Amino acid sequence: MSIAEYLKALTIYRSMDRRFRAKTIRDTLQGTVLFRDLSRLELSLVERIVHLRHYAAGETVFRTGERGLGLYVIHEGAVRIVLDQEDEVREVALLEVGDFFGEVALVEDHAKRSATALAARPTQLIGFFKPDLLELIDRKPHAGVKIAMAIASVLAQRLCAGAEDDEQQAAPNDKGSNACSQATGT
Amino acid sequence: MMADLKRSRATSAAQRQPPAAQTRSRLRVAALLAALAAVGVILFSVPGMLSNALLAIVVAYVLNPAVARLERRGYSRAVAILVLYAVLGVGCAVIGSVAAPAVVQQAMELKAALPRLQDAVERSIGEWRWSIADRFPWMADLDLGLQSLSFSEIAGPILAGSFSVASSVLLILVLVPLTAFFLLKDAAMFQRSMLQMVPNRYFEPSLALIHRINTQLGSFIRAKLAQSVVVGLLLWIGLSAVSIDFAALLAAFAAVMNLIPYIGPLIGAVPGILVAVFVMDTPDAAWFGSAVYFVAQVVDMVFIVPLVVARIVDLHPLTVILTIIAGGKVLGVMGMLIALPMVCMLKSAYLEIDAGFLTLRR
C-alpha cells in the first residue's frame, strides 16, 4: 500500500469513526461557542474538570431563586426552560443537544437562577462551574481566559439582544435605533 | 383565578421529582454515606493512619500553589509535582547537611544537660513548696498536687512522646510525601468521584461547600505555617544573639507550638526560659531570653496575625480559646492543633449551607 493510499484510508476511517462512534464529552464541548477556541490539549484538561450529570425525564436541574454556581451544556436529551415568576408560569425555551444554559451564574457572585430548568426526557448534562473555571484560570490561564472571554462575549450578545427587545417594545416603529452597536461601541 | 390554578399546576409539576430520579437519588446518598463511613473506619482503625493522612493533607495544601505555578509554565501536573519534589528534596538535603550537625550536637548537649536541669527544677520546686508552706501555713493542709510534683513526672511523658515521635519519623518521611503526591495529583479526581454520588438536587450546593472549605482550609494552613516559620526564625536569631544554649531546638519547638493560638506561644516559651534560668546560671540570660520571646510574640501579633491570619480565621477570640481547650481535652496536643481548622471548616459549612442549601425549593 502506498503512502497516499494509506493516508486516504486513514481519512476515511477517521470520518467513519467520527460518524458512528458515541459522542464524547469533548465532541459536545467542542461544538459549543464557549469551548470552540480551545486547543486539543486544553479541551482534554476541561474534559477532566467538568461534571457529567444524569437526569430522568421531568427531573429538575434547578429552580428559580436557587443559588447558581455555573452553566450546563446538554450532552444528550433536552431541557425545558420555564419562567416561574409571581404572576406567570410559561415555557420559554426547549434546549437541545449542544445548547447551554445558566452561564450568568458562572460570572456573578451569589447568583440566583432566573428560571427553572427541567429535563424534557432522559438527559445528560455537562456541568461547568465557577470553581472549575477558577481552577482552570489558576492552572492554565491561557485556556481559562479563552473561556472567560467566550462567556463575556455570549453575555454581551444577550445583553444587546435584551436591550434591542426593550427598545422595540418601547418604540415599535423606530427602525433606526440599534442598542447592540451602541452598547458595544461604549 | 385561572392564572393561579395554572401556575399552581405547573409549579407542582415542575417540583415533583419523577420516581426514577428519587430512587437514583436515594441510592446515591446511600453510596456516598457508605464511602464516607469506609474512609472514616480506615482512618480511625489503622494505627498512625489519621496522623499520616492529616500531615499529607497539610503538605498537599502547602505545595498546591507551587504545583499550579509550575503547571502555568506548561508542565503536566504529575511532572510539576515531581519537579517540585526533586527541588524540595535537594533543598532539604542541602539544609539538612548544613543544619543537621548543629541540631544533633545541640540535642546531645541537651541530653547531657537534662539531669542537671532536672535537679535544678526539682530543687526549685522544693524550695517554693517550703516557702509557700512557711508564708501561708494554712495552705499546707490543702492538697494542690504540689506534694507529688516532680520534674520527671512532668517531663517523662513529654520525653517519651518525643522519642516515640522520633522513632516513627522514618515512616512519616516515606509515607507522608507519597500520600501527599497522590493527593496533589488526584485529589480533584477523588473529589469528582465523591460528587458523582451526590444527588442532582444537592450537587451545586455541595460543590460550592467543598470549594469554600478547600479555599479556606488551604489559606489557613499556609498562613499558620508561614506565621510559625517567621516566629521560629525570629526566635532562632534572637536566642542565638543573646547566647542562649540550644537556640535552634528551642526555636523549632516554639515554632511548632506557635501553631496553637494564644496558648501555644506560652507553652513554646517554657523550655527556653527553663534553660535560661536553670542551665545558663546567669541572671541576665533569663531576662534576655524572656525578652526575645516577648519581642517575637509582639512582631507576630502586630505584623503577622493582622496581615496574614486574622483575615482567614475571622473568629471571636473567646471562640478560639474555647475551641483550643475543647480540642486539647479530646485529642491532646494534636487536638489543640487541629481544633481551630476544624471550627473554621464548620463555620464555612454553616455559611455555605445558609447561602446554598437553604435556597433549594421543596
Side-chain angles (χ1 to χ4, degrees), chain A residues 33-37 145-155:
Chain A
V33 67
L34 298 179
F35 304 99
R36 193 180 292 157
D37 293 337
V145 167
K146 277 183 191 172
I147 296 172
M149 288 302 289
I151 292 164
S153 169
V154 167
L155 290 175

Side-chain angles (χ1 to χ4, degrees), chain A residues 63-183:
Chain A
R63 293 192 182 122
T64 309
E66 287 178 1
R67 195 174 154 201
L69 200 61
L71 66 85
Y72 293 90
V73 181
I74 302 173
H75 184 51
E76 265 182 45
V79 169
R80 284 193 296 135
I81 303 295
V82 177
L83 211 56
D84 181 11
Q85 289 173 338
E86 285 294 314
D87 52 347
E88 64 169 346
V89 176
R90 65 188 165 93
E91 184 177 316
V92 288
L94 180 67
L95 304 177
E96 300 285 348
V97 173
D99 290 338
F100 59 91
F101 56 96
E103 65 279 1
V104 175
L106 204 57
V107 288
E108 194 186 345
D109 272 337
H110 311 297
K112 293 273 168 70
R113 299 292 189 189
S114 56
T116 296
L118 301 160
R121 44 182 180 266
T123 298
Q124 288 183 27
L125 299 177
I126 301 167
F128 183 68
F129 302 99
K130 202 170 192 172
D132 307 327
L133 179 61
L134 293 176
E135 188 191 336
L136 199 64
I137 289 172
D138 188 34
R139 290 170 56 188
K140 299 285 176 192
H142 197 241
V145 167
K146 277 183 191 172
I147 296 172
M149 288 302 289
I151 292 164
S153 169
V154 167
L155 290 175
Q157 282 171 17
R158 295 205 176 157
L159 191 69
C160 292
E164 274 180 359
D165 284 348
D166 288 346
E167 275 187 9
Q168 285 290 324
Q169 281 175 4
N173 297 326
D174 185 4
K175 305 281 186 191
S177 67
N178 189 338
C180 211
S181 60
Q182 282 169 14

Side-chain angles (χ1 to χ4, degrees), chain B residues 20-106:
Chain B
Q22 285 178 5
T23 311
R24 193 157 58 197
S25 182
R26 283 184 194 128
L27 283 173
R28 278 176 173 170
V29 170
L32 182 65
L33 291 177
L36 289 175
V39 170
V41 166
I42 291 169
L43 280 180
F44 284 97
S45 61
V46 180
M49 184 67 95
L50 183 64
S51 53
N52 271 323
L54 287 174
L55 275 174
I57 288 169
V58 168
V59 172
Y61 270 120
V62 171
L63 297 186
N64 195 42
V67 173
R69 191 175 281 262
L70 284 172
E71 277 190 287
R72 287 201 286 274
R73 288 178 175 270
Y75 294 99
S76 73
R77 193 156 179 88
V79 173
I81 301 166
L82 287 174
V83 167
L84 190 64
Y85 267 43
V87 171
L88 285 176
V90 171
C92 286
V94 170
I95 292 170
S97 64
V98 174
V103 172
V104 168
Q105 192 191 344
Q106 285 196 6

Side-chain angles (χ1 to χ4, degrees), chain A residues 50 53 63 66-67 72, chain B residues 192 198 201 204 352 361:
Chain A
V50 295
R53 307 294 302 179
R63 293 192 182 122
E66 287 178 1
R67 195 174 154 201
Y72 293 90
Chain B
R192 260 165 38 116
V198 175
R201 200 77 197 88
E204 280 193 51
E352 202 53 54
R361 285 167 53 187

